[in-house]
Amino acid sequence: MSTFTPEFPIETSRPRRRRELRGAVAAFQLVTDREVLVEGPGGTGKSHGILAKFHQTAWAYPKSRQLLCRATRVSMTESILKTWEEQILGENHPAYSGKASRANRHSYDFPNGSTVVVGGLDNDERLFSTEWDRIYVAEAQEISLETFEKLGRAMRNGRTPYHQRVCDVNPVGPGFWLNKRADPIDDALRAVKTRDQWQRLQFYNRKKLDGKMRRLVSKHHDNPAYWDWNDWGWTYFGEEYVMGELANLTGHRRARLFEGRWVAGEGIVFPEFQRHRHMINPFKVPSDWPWFVGMDPGYDHPCAILWFTVAPNGCAYVADELYRGGLSIPQHAADIHLRNRNRTVRRYWGDPQHAFSSTAQSPTSIAGQMRNCGISIAKWPRTGNQSESMVERVRQYLIGDRLKVFSTCSSTIDEFETWSFSRNTRGEIKDGDDQYEDANNHAMDVIKGVLATGQVVHKSGGIKVVRGR
């Protein structure tokens, strides 16, 4: 069986809890890549193995600074921090300070001056500006590429021999940015039934790769709680959880959480979207092609802003996107103006409900704020009873190969592959507007709304030209 030699000096005098590390997380103890993805189905021990390295780092390198984070702070208490405190630190670890509960703890301070900080990525700019040696993003399928890249500017504390950002993830749709960013792998390597097949996967995990992000693939065989290496079979708990729960999942949930494969969800709204047909490499847009911009506002959830351009043959291209939350309208407007320097924008459209409504807290609507920033937004058609017809219009564009998406518009591509029908408790698709999930649909709302105007055409058609600044 593949074993590992720790890169850290082992101190026997300090309290610690240890468990055998196998496979992907054993390889992780030794890799020095700046970006690492540890992927695999549910219950392979990804978090435990990553946290073990962070624990060793804190002891081995005085005054080192490490961050444990997830999309939101509240989601960490009973997930990553439970593993950290119960499986890694134990009850009487000297890094506990003060009387704060796990839900309210901000950091774990080691006697040698090292600290492990806990934070959510939802609303804390301090995490992006503080200096770190290592960062662990748990459940990274919850965050965007932009958020991950913002963390990169903080990798400069200089107390460890190398800096490292690591993400763990249960596979989701194949177009997700993490799957595209990490080193490629032959899907056949994930099929592990024999010792030889497991060892073959470990050769992939340990060989030197040249990608931007190292991919480490974990399997249930890596977790000693679920797999007995000597008998080459499931333990009692493995039979109960892996074979009793995960193996009984169906469809894409089984493929992702039991088999560990990146597959599209079943029941997606646009199965017509196919990468080889509808995703294209970016090209220089001719100067006489018109531009149109659509905006689905958001702050707590992503704000989706898409740029459309149209060829003389009527084919529409989603050629650019801004997809992020937590920013003000003036910040969005400034970036829109910046991207429009060499583009002639004929029309801006926005969500008729969210962009044009005002509240007591925000008396000026988003459209009004954009107008104050020099951008005039019109309403695209309301969804309501038209929602299904708007979806059908997009479908016809896809079927007729009249809609293409630049490969750089990763969030739009991801939503095409993940936006799904909503189902009731009996598994049946709901009726009317409720038939569509209200998730993974921000870019989809823009595409539906803009195409529903019927004005995304090559000729001006009498539409007033608004030049983007």
Side-chain angles (χ1 to χ4, degrees), residues 179-387:
N179 190 40
K180 294 188 295 183
R181 189 178 184 88
D183 288 308
I185 181 174
D186 185 341
D187 209 34
L189 287 175
R190 293 189 173 93
V192 172
K193 293 184 179 180
T194 68
R195 295 176 190 263
D196 287 344
Q197 289 172 334
W198 186 86
Q199 292 286 11
R200 182 183 61 181
L201 178 60
Q202 304 325 304
F203 176 78
Y204 169 87
N205 284 337
R206 292 173 178 273
K207 70 179 182 179
K208 184 63 177 176
L209 301 173
D210 299 322
K212 184 176 293 185
M213 173 180 275
R214 173 179 283 271
R215 186 194 304 261
L216 301 175
V217 179
S218 64
K219 302 295 292 183
H220 290 117
H221 308 72
D222 298 352
N223 190 337
Y226 295 147
W227 187 261
D228 188 315
W229 178 267
N230 294 324
D231 292 340
W232 194 252
W234 299 107
T235 66
Y236 170 82
F237 294 108
E239 287 281 0
E240 183 181 56
Y241 177 65
V242 180
M243 299 305 295
E245 298 294 340
L246 300 184
N248 287 325
L249 296 172
T250 59
H252 71 276
R253 289 174 293 279
R254 187 181 195 276
R256 293 173 180 178
L257 295 175
F258 176 66
E259 300 172 5
R261 295 189 292 119
W262 298 79
V263 297
E266 294 174 332
I268 58 174
V269 177
F270 293 119
E272 297 83 5
F273 181 85
Q274 299 175 12
R275 289 185 168 227
H276 70 276
R277 287 179 57 192
H278 301 108
M279 186 181 78
I280 64 171
N281 292 326
F283 57 84
K284 185 177 180 180
V285 176
S287 59
D288 62 339
W289 288 19
W291 290 86
F292 306 89
V293 178
M295 177 181 185
D296 179 46
Y299 187 86
D300 294 328
H301 65 73
C303 174
I305 304 170
L306 305 186
W307 278 259
F308 298 75
T309 188
V310 186
N313 65 1
C315 183
Y317 296 82
V318 180
D320 201 358
E321 69 175 12
L322 286 173
Y323 193 94
R324 70 268 180 98
L327 296 180
S328 68
I329 295 304
Q331 288 175 300
H332 289 306
D335 286 337
I336 291 173
H337 285 312
L338 186 64
R339 297 199 180 195
N340 284 348
R341 285 177 300 179
N342 298 312
R343 298 170 180 172
T344 299
V345 178
R346 288 188 179 172
R347 182 66 63 90
Y348 296 88
W349 285 288
D351 183 285
Q353 178 180 354
H354 299 110
F356 291 86
S357 59
S358 58
T359 64
Q361 293 77 21
S362 301
T364 304
S365 68
I366 290 173
Q369 296 177 57
M370 292 292 283
R371 186 166 52 251
N372 294 337
C373 296
I375 298 174
S376 179
I377 297 179
K379 298 178 182 179
W380 65 53
R382 287 186 176 273
T383 52
N385 295 330
Q386 299 186 66
S387 183

Side-chain angles (χ1 to χ4, degrees), residues 92-114:
N92 302 308
H93 198 283
Y96 292 115
S97 58
K99 298 182 179 180
S101 65
R102 183 189 300 166
N104 298 308
R105 192 177 297 280
H106 172 69
S107 66
Y108 299 83
D109 302 313
F110 287 67
N112 64 357
S114 293

Side-chain angles (χ1 to χ4, degrees), residues 106 117-130 151:
H106 172 69
V117 175
V118 180
L121 297 172
D122 45 347
N123 237 347
D124 197 342
E125 284 294 325
R126 292 174 298 174
L127 300 182
F128 300 113
S129 58
T130 304
L151 289 169

